[in-house]
Amino acid sequence: MPTSIREVARHAGVSIATVSHVINNTRYVKEETRKKVQDSIEQLGYCPNAIARSFKTGRHNLIAFITPDIANPFYSAMIEEVEAVISAKGYRLLICNTKEDAVKEADALRVLANGVVDGFIIASAFLSYDPIAKMLPANLPVIFVDRSLENNPCDTLLIDNYHALQKGIEYLIHQGHTHIAYITVKNQLSTVIERRAAYEDTMASHHLPTDDLVFIANPLSSLFSDNLAPLLREDITAIAVPNACLSTEVLTFLEEHGRIPGKDIEAIGYKESNQPQYINPSISLISQPAEALGRAAGHQLLERMSNPDLPTCRTILSATFIPKTDRHKI
Amino acid sequence: MPTSIREVARHAGVSIATVSHVINNTRYVKEETRKKVQDSIEQLGYCPNAIARSFKTGRHNLIAFITPDIANPFYSAMIEEVEAVISAKGYRLLICNTKEDAVKEADALRVLANGVVDGFIIASAFLSYDPIAKMLPANLPVIFVDRSLENNPCDTLLIDNYHALQKGIEYLIHQGHTHIAYITVKNQLSTVIERRAAYEDTMASHHLPTDDLVFIANPLSSLFSDNLAPLLREDITAIAVPNACLSTEVLTFLEEHGRIPGKDIEAIGYKESNQPQYINPSISLISQPAEALGRAAGHQLLERMSNPDLPTCRTILSATFIPKTDRHKI
DNA sequence: CAATATCATATAAACGTTTACCATAATCAT
DNA sequence: ATGATTATGGTAAACGTTTATATGATATTG
């Protein structure tokens, strides 16, 4: 049904080669001929078939960003920056939302990796590179971001989860807190593990026990409130969480139960994206450089595409701990 | 470089047809032969070229969602629902972020419309359908959402912006407010125009003047605070805004200048997405059915794809006005 | 004016698949 | 044993482009 280059050629009374050259400006065509061709294109409403073109040329100018959660401002901030970087070089960005589902991720990789996109930026739901390896053709440029995977030989850009939270916990300890609770989630993502390690290590290095202070909570579970109930214990005077989602959930829970964060109980939350006003202004925050990470990932991908022999890069961007007393500065 | 079906065929000592049939289960192949082929595929690490396949078959099982702002929870909520609906039917979703830039949108349409995707769902940055018409091949299923465009002959799913805000303004008026300010933005999007009309009509129908009560503000401008300054006027006792972004910006501005929303001044804000905790709990809200809109759009697109002759559909989903006194119900 | 250079366009192969059609071998019914 | 049927798999065309090569027309040169 869609008109092809052949029909345009016939209509204009020239060869398909000439039509192609007119469209792509890829060799000189006499003004008169060009005019004829352009008129025919206009009249027939011809649009080159992008698939056929990519198929033939092997180039597509398409990059895919695989995100585990499109609704998370951390990723949308990254996406915006990646897009800005690559679109300056003529690439377009496709976004795939996996909802933290490794199967969906595998699916997206399979469908896009062979012939559709020129490169990937992946915030993976997988814990190891091994299952991914099979579905990526050799030499397809891939950059991993935010989460580190076992056995991953590809360029990887991470955030220093450990030291930011370490600073945060030390801040609380220096303020005199000894019973600092930590809420975490059940999965084994590197970010989750690193943050929890930062909490436990820091507590331990100050000889503070954590045995009955770590709580696993799933905001989507109906047991969420039940699991959080111990937070209301009198001895707990401060609390930390490993991400922005839990931040808001836990803060809301505390408020609803009459413990005002920042007043009755100290807290460290996460701020993802540059929207500080969303978060209770009287708690301390950890701020992740989502934008910088996005830019770096975009640049690294372009580098990798233009030079496949580059040594593997591993970059760690530091996150910022913002004590509540500095909140006005952001 | 990537291995082709031909090499697999050679390696397995069969024809390419047989390989193709093994891969696609598209005709019977003797178990022994099938085994040989599968082994060869495994050994060579062969992956079918998705582009070549789509090119040949004309089917791709790909839908594109064009969003003006990936960071806006309203759209990410929609996206999640669209994805859920279409993925149940075997389609995958590509997301394109236009950043409210019609040029970027045109670009994305051009690149995806011819041969890449099987359908579009578009929240357009264009005000009219005319410039879009040229770049969409006839019969490509397209659903427009959220924003109405002039001259648009395609299926369109909208939200009833007018009546939700009308209810809100009437609520304020019934509470005795007479000087209700309205902040809006400069663009001509249908959503913006409809909401402003709702404000002005409702005020007028109660014989309340609006001459010096409408303010144009751009949150990204350095003049933002200047433009908002009149909001601090003593006579203004209530205020409404046309979207969630302005909601938070304006609420923050008011708080910073010592006028506590919900106490010193009444307000109607927008809540986009199911994250009520982000918004000051003591103001009234308008809640848009982003999820329902996403589901409806997904279904309509599937309908349209399976039956191109369906009469054009225009659906308007109502939004909910939530008086501050009902906030606990959400 | 012939020989050559340049300009403008056409012809056809190729990209990696899918699939309609054809071919052969094996099995079966008579 | 013959012909019909079934099982299995090969051949080649086609999808819509791009592009290397070929070709004819015109302009330029000595």
Side-chain angles (χ1 to χ4, degrees):
Chain A
M1 201 75 213
T3 81
S4 84
I5 197 172
R6 225 171 298 274
E7 299 171 55
V8 176
R10 182 143 24 91
H11 186 275
V14 301
S15 76
I16 62 172
T18 300
V19 177
S20 175
H21 289 302
V22 167
I23 293 170
N24 301 306
N25 262 317
T26 169
R27 86 175 167 201
Y28 181 81
V29 176
K30 202 179 10 167
E31 197 42 51
E32 188 191 329
T33 317
R34 168 185 302 276
K35 186 79 176 57
K36 266 194 307 186
V37 172
Q38 282 167 338
D39 286 352
S40 296
I41 290 178
E42 180 74 21
Q43 279 180 46
L44 299 175
Y46 168 70
C47 258
N49 181 312
I51 284 274
R53 186 190 326 236
S54 312
F55 166 52
K56 176 62 178 149
T57 63
R59 287 170 291 106
H60 332 272
N61 290 348
L62 232 43
I63 303 289
F65 189 108
I66 311 282
T67 169
D69 182 7
I70 189 79
N72 186 329
F74 174 69
Y75 294 112
S76 51
M78 277 194 67
I79 287 170
E80 300 235 311
E81 295 298 317
V82 167
E83 163 120 45
V85 169
I86 65 165
S87 73
K89 300 287 181 188
Y91 288 91
R92 250 169 297 275
L93 190 67
L94 294 182
I95 304 151
C96 289
N97 188 29
T98 65
K99 303 191 89 168
E100 298 285 6
D101 179 346
V103 175
K104 265 186 199 283
E105 179 176 332
D107 226 44
L109 291 179
R110 236 189 316 266
V111 89
L112 295 176
N114 288 87
V116 180
V117 304
D118 300 312
F120 280 106
I121 298 178
I122 307 179
S124 184
F126 282 98
L127 301 177
S128 160
Y129 181 76
D130 302 337
I132 300 183
K134 294 167 195 157
M135 39 190 84
L136 293 177
N139 287 327
L140 183 66
V142 178
I143 312 289
F144 283 83
V145 291
D146 187 47
R147 301 163 171 199
S148 78
L149 277 67
E150 262 181 54
N151 281 335
N152 190 342
C154 305
D155 293 332
T156 306
L157 305 175
L158 304 171
I159 287 177
D160 185 349
N161 293 291
Y162 191 94
H163 291 100
L165 189 53
Q166 183 183 45
K167 263 200 207 165
I169 301 294
E170 285 192 328
Y171 170 84
L172 291 177
I173 294 175
H174 283 130
Q175 294 215 316
H177 295 279
T178 54
H179 286 64
I180 303 168
Y182 188 70
I183 323 293
T184 186
V185 291
K186 205 171 179 180
N187 71 51
Q188 297 289 100
L189 294 172
S190 64
T191 50
V192 172
I193 290 180
E194 288 166 17
R195 291 170 196 178
R196 178 164 178 178
Y199 162 76
E200 295 195 336
D201 293 356
T202 309
M203 293 292 278
S205 75
H206 289 264
H207 311 294
L208 296 171
T210 59
D211 304 329
D212 58 347
L213 291 170
V214 175
F215 306 99
I216 313 280
N218 171 8
L220 302 177
S221 151
S222 57
L223 295 172
F224 185 61
S225 288
D226 293 353
N227 293 342
L228 252 40
L231 286 185
L232 303 171
R233 266 166 35 195
E234 282 300 321
D235 59 325
I236 295 179
T237 60
I239 181 176
V241 300
N243 61 50
C245 172
L246 271 181
S247 295
T248 48
E249 296 288 347
V250 168
L251 293 179
T252 306
F253 172 86
L254 290 172
E255 260 175 45
E256 282 172 355
H257 290 78
R259 303 209 67 188
I260 308 301
K263 200 171 138 228
D264 305 333
I265 186 168
E266 283 307 310
I268 297 177
Y270 271 75
K271 135 179 149 59
E272 289 175 346
S273 91
N274 47 4
Q275 303 175 308
Q277 69 276 20
Y278 279 171
I279 307 280
N280 186 321
S282 52
I283 68 168
S284 301
L285 283 184
I286 287 171
S287 165
Q288 301 194 86
E291 291 81 5
L293 186 59
R295 279 191 299 273
H299 284 127
Q300 181 62 28
L301 182 59
L302 293 174
E303 280 290 322
R304 174 65 55 202
M305 291 196 300
S306 63
N307 184 359
D309 299 327
L310 232 50
T312 301
C313 112
R314 313 217 160 246
T315 303
I316 297 184
L317 278 66
S318 57
T320 316
F321 173 70
I322 307 166
K324 57 190 277 194
T325 48
D326 290 354
R327 280 294 296 280
H328 59 279
K329 293 181 188 165
I330 56 177
Chain B
M1 202 75 216
T3 81
S4 82
I5 198 173
R6 226 171 298 274
E7 299 172 55
V8 176
R10 183 142 24 89
H11 186 275
V14 301
S15 76
I16 60 173
T18 301
V19 177
S20 175
H21 288 302
V22 167
I23 293 172
N24 301 306
N25 264 316
T26 168
R27 85 175 167 201
Y28 182 81
V29 175
K30 210 196 336 186
E31 195 47 44
E32 188 190 328
T33 318
R34 169 185 301 276
K35 186 79 176 57
K36 266 194 307 187
V37 171
Q38 281 166 339
D39 286 353
S40 295
I41 289 177
E42 181 74 20
Q43 279 180 46
L44 298 175
Y46 167 73
C47 257
N49 181 312
I51 284 276
R53 191 199 307 246
S54 314
F55 167 50
K56 176 62 179 153
T57 62
R59 287 169 290 108
H60 331 273
N61 290 350
L62 231 44
I63 303 290
F65 190 108
I66 310 283
T67 169
D69 183 8
I70 188 79
N72 185 330
F74 173 67
Y75 294 112
S76 51
M78 274 195 69
I79 287 170
E80 301 233 312
E81 295 299 318
V82 168
E83 163 120 43
V85 169
I86 66 165
S87 74
K89 299 288 181 187
Y91 289 90
R92 250 169 297 275
L93 191 66
L94 295 181
I95 303 150
C96 287
N97 187 27
T98 64
K99 304 190 87 166
E100 299 285 6
D101 179 348
V103 174
K104 266 188 199 283
E105 179 176 331
D107 227 43
L109 291 179
R110 237 191 314 266
V111 90
L112 296 176
N114 288 89
V116 179
V117 304
D118 300 313
F120 281 106
I121 298 178
I122 307 178
S124 182
F126 282 96
L127 301 178
S128 161
Y129 181 76
D130 302 337
I132 300 182
K134 294 168 194 157
M135 38 192 80
L136 293 178
N139 287 328
L140 183 65
V142 178
I143 312 289
F144 284 83
V145 291
D146 187 46
R147 301 163 172 198
S148 78
L149 277 67
E150 261 180 53
N151 279 336
N152 191 341
C154 305
D155 291 333
T156 306
L157 305 174
L158 303 171
I159 287 177
D160 185 350
N161 293 291
Y162 191 95
H163 291 100
L165 189 53
Q166 183 184 46
K167 263 200 209 165
I169 299 295
E170 285 192 330
Y171 171 84
L172 291 177
I173 293 174
H174 284 129
Q175 293 217 315
H177 296 279
T178 54
H179 286 64
I180 304 169
Y182 188 69
I183 324 292
T184 186
V185 292
K186 207 172 177 181
N187 71 49
Q188 298 289 101
L189 293 173
S190 63
T191 49
V192 172
I193 290 180
E194 288 165 16
R195 291 169 197 180
R196 177 164 177 179
Y199 162 76
E200 295 194 337
D201 292 356
T202 310
M203 292 292 278
S205 76
H206 289 264
H207 311 294
L208 295 172
T210 58
D211 305 329
D212 58 345
L213 290 171
V214 176
F215 305 100
I216 312 282
N218 171 9
L220 301 177
S221 152
S222 56
L223 294 173
F224 184 62
S225 289
D226 293 354
N227 293 343
L228 252 42
L231 287 185
L232 303 172
R233 267 167 33 196
E234 282 301 320
D235 60 325
I236 295 179
T237 61
I239 180 178
V241 301
N243 62 51
C245 172
L246 271 181
S247 295
T248 49
E249 296 289 347
V250 168
L251 293 179
T252 305
F253 172 87
L254 290 172
E255 260 175 45
E256 281 172 357
H257 290 78
R259 304 209 67 188
I260 308 301
K263 203 173 134 225
D264 305 332
I265 185 168
E266 282 310 308
I268 296 177
Y270 271 74
K271 135 175 150 59
E272 289 175 347
S273 91
N274 47 2
Q275 302 175 309
Q277 70 276 22
Y278 279 170
I279 306 282
N280 186 320
S282 52
I283 67 169
S284 301
L285 283 183
I286 287 171
S287 166
Q288 302 193 85
E291 292 81 5
L293 186 58
R295 279 192 299 274
H299 284 127
Q300 180 62 26
L301 182 58
L302 293 174
E303 280 290 323
R304 174 65 56 200
M305 292 195 302
S306 63
N307 184 359
D309 298 326
L310 232 50
T312 303
C313 110
R314 317 221 155 242
T315 303
I316 297 184
L317 278 66
S318 58
T320 316
F321 173 69
I322 307 166
K324 57 190 280 192
T325 48
D326 289 353
R327 281 293 296 279
H328 60 277
K329 293 183 188 165
I330 57 178

